[in-house]
Amino acid sequence: MSGIILLVLRVAMTVVLYAFLGWILVLMWRTLKQEAAFLSARKAAPLTLELDMPEAVKQIFHFNTGDVLVGRDPDCECTLTDETISARHVRFAYHHNQWWVEDLGSRNGTGLNGAPLTTATIVVNGDTIKCGQTSLRVIIEGTPSREYQQISDTESRT
């Protein structure tokens, strides 16, 4: 009789153990689905570029995608007519919840707020990108400008 009771207890413990493991797997699956839905729903902050080209009317471009190419190539999202700009001059990319700008090996180089742009760099509201003779002012909706951030940083230190 004690052998049968021991066998029933072993089978019951095995069933409980497998039920527990199944419950853990279901919870992990639900969490992964929720994270995937959250990440796929997250969109890039709207980007606006104000173009100031010599001897031309100021132009404004609005973008809602996470990747924006700027250059003379007609395939670029922001096509410019300035002859000092490369076919694919600069790329704006939205990742890690921030907009980044990177020079794509342009012949005349790219400047960020007066300094040469050599690596991918985070841009904030109000930054100025210089591509050839054209200046691009970055406007990111819903974010403060660099001047506001610097003022806030100095106030928080005091």
Side-chain angles (χ1 to χ4, degrees):
M1 181 89 171
S2 66
I4 294 176
I5 294 175
L6 208 57
L7 180 62
V8 169
L9 283 176
R10 284 183 184 170
V11 169
M13 288 300 288
T14 304
V15 168
V16 168
L17 178 63
Y18 279 113
F20 177 72
L21 290 175
W23 179 64
I24 294 294
L25 288 174
V26 167
L27 286 179
M28 287 175 50
W29 180 255
R30 284 183 186 168
T31 303
L32 284 174
K33 283 179 63 176
Q34 288 175 349
E35 286 292 319
F38 173 73
L39 290 175
S40 67
R42 191 171 65 187
K43 296 186 180 192
L47 175 70
T48 301
L49 297 176
E50 286 184 0
L51 275 59
D52 188 15
M53 298 189 304
E55 302 176 9
V57 178
K58 183 182 273 190
Q59 297 178 345
I60 298 175
F61 292 93
H62 301 284
F63 303 100
N64 289 320
T65 62
D67 198 31
V68 177
L69 283 174
V70 177
R72 286 184 296 126
D73 190 349
D75 291 335
C76 291
E77 286 81 10
C78 184
T79 305
L80 305 176
T81 57
D82 186 354
E83 292 297 321
T84 59
I85 293 178
S86 300
R88 292 177 177 246
H89 195 96
V90 72
R91 177 172 68 112
F92 290 90
Y94 188 80
H95 52 88
H96 299 101
N97 271 346
Q98 296 175 325
W99 277 101
W100 294 69
V101 64
E102 104 180 272
D103 182 65
L104 298 176
S106 61
R107 181 172 296 202
N108 293 324
T110 303
L112 173 62
N113 297 326
L117 182 67
T118 55
T119 62
T121 306
I122 296 171
V123 290
V124 295
N125 198 10
D127 279 351
T128 302
I129 311 295
K130 185 79 169 174
C131 299
Q133 299 297 317
T134 303
S135 293
L136 304 157
R137 186 165 161 261
V138 177
I139 300 169
I140 303 169
E141 294 180 27
T143 61
S145 65
R146 188 176 295 277
E147 293 80 20
Y148 177 79
Q149 288 176 341
Q150 288 174 348
I151 291 169
S152 297
D153 288 345
T154 56
E155 288 176 354
S156 63
R157 290 183 195 149
T158 58

